[in-house]
Amino acid sequence: EVQLVQSGAEVKKPGESLKISCKGSGYSFSSNWIGWVRQVPGKGQELMGIIYPYDSDTRYSPSFQGQVTISADRSISTAYLQWGGLKASDTAMYYCARLRYLDWFLDFWGQGTLVTVSS
Amino acid sequence: EIVMTQSPATLSVSPGERATLSCRASQSLSTLAWYQQKPGQAPRLLIYGTSTRATGIPARFSGSGSGTEFTLTISSLQSEDFAVYYCQQYHNWPFTFGPGTKVDIK
């Protein structure tokens, strides 16, 4: 059974750094792209970027380029999303999702990580 | 960037009735996906390749369309179908979502 298990909710202050994780199981983690999706209530969903764990090839949406870093460690089947300096506007639910092999839609999703940034 | 729009924003439907959700793209697409999201849950893949149902998705869900106009139809709404539905284009990077259509009980 394919599963993506994300790290727990975080509460941070503006300017702090953060790295959240997404661990895959039940499939060959290196073979599928993983994406990170931001969901803000009332603002829909945005695919921030995707990473191919086999070689860490990464693509960012222009809206998120330079704002976050996506990485992966295929040895432990885990992808990461990190911020160097959080802002209140980063408050959102973040989902990781697997992209179907040889295709680009999101076929399995993690349970989500709620990030709250508040002073 | 391809902009996706969905209509209506909210659709009120009685159980057993048919629901038709629309999705429009700012430029022509080769393919589209639909996702369902219930409160407190992650989105779930319903349809990919415009019209192919994902594994385990009931036959009452169907997708159609081409070019810039796409439709998700739920033939006979069941109680578990009341949710928010999003379309997503994966034709050009960055892949983008529509703002969603909420299907609620009439």
Side-chain angles (χ1 to χ4, degrees):
Chain A
E1 178 195 7
V2 174
Q3 283 195 312
L4 296 171
V5 178
Q6 297 185 230
S7 49
E10 301 275 1
V11 179
K12 292 289 188 180
K13 291 182 167 38
E16 292 186 333
S17 61
L18 175 64
K19 191 173 189 177
I20 62 175
S21 65
C22 168
K23 184 173 176 62
S25 62
Y27 73 101
S28 176
F29 185 77
S30 296
S31 300
N32 293 69
W33 291 78
I34 290 282
W36 285 97
V37 177
R38 183 174 80 173
Q39 187 169 54
V40 177
K43 287 198 170 183
Q45 303 181 86
E46 299 169 278
L47 183 55
M48 305 167 71
I50 56 176
I51 187 165
Y52 188 55
Y54 179 78
D55 60 5
S56 290
D57 184 10
T58 308
R59 303 180 191 182
Y60 293 95
S61 168
S63 300
F64 294 93
Q65 181 82 47
Q67 307 304 307
V68 297
T69 301
I70 294 171
S71 60
D73 183 343
R74 65 180 187 174
S75 70
I76 55 171
S77 301
T78 301
Y80 302 96
L81 175 66
Q82 70 181 89
W83 295 261
L86 286 159
K87 307 168 199 168
S89 57
D90 293 317
T91 296
M93 180 70 81
Y94 293 88
Y95 293 100
C96 65
R98 190 187 82 162
L99 281 74
R100 173 70 61 90
Y101 180 66
L102 298 181
D103 215 322
W104 298 106
F105 56 88
L106 304 165
D107 63 352
F108 286 93
W109 294 64
Q111 84 276 19
T113 296
L114 179 63
V115 174
T116 303
V117 183
S118 175
S119 54
Chain B
E1 176 174 312
I2 297 175
V3 177
M4 307 298 292
T5 56
Q6 292 185 243
S7 61
T10 303
L11 185 61
S12 296
V13 185
S14 299
E17 288 189 339
R18 182 186 193 87
T20 302
L21 289 67
S22 295
C23 175
R24 176 176 289 178
S26 61
Q27 63 188 73
S28 186
L29 306 178
S30 60
T31 190
L32 185 87
W34 290 92
Y35 303 88
Q36 176 194 65
Q37 187 175 29
K38 297 178 182 179
Q41 295 184 17
R44 174 176 75 144
L45 176 68
L46 287 180
I47 300 282
Y48 62 91
T50 302
S51 59
T52 303
R53 283 188 302 278
T55 302
I57 301 303
R60 64 180 180 272
F61 290 92
S62 63
S64 62
S66 64
T68 62
E69 303 281 343
F70 298 85
T71 300
L72 175 69
T73 302
I74 311 171
S75 60
S76 176
L77 267 150
Q78 306 299 303
S79 57
E80 62 266 30
D81 301 335
F82 293 98
V84 180
Y85 294 84
Y86 298 95
C87 59
Q88 182 219 358
Q89 66 83 16
Y90 52 101
H91 177 80
N92 277 350
W93 182 257
F95 307 144
T96 48
F97 292 89
T101 290
K102 181 179 181 181
V103 177
D104 65 16
I105 300 174
K106 188 173 183 180

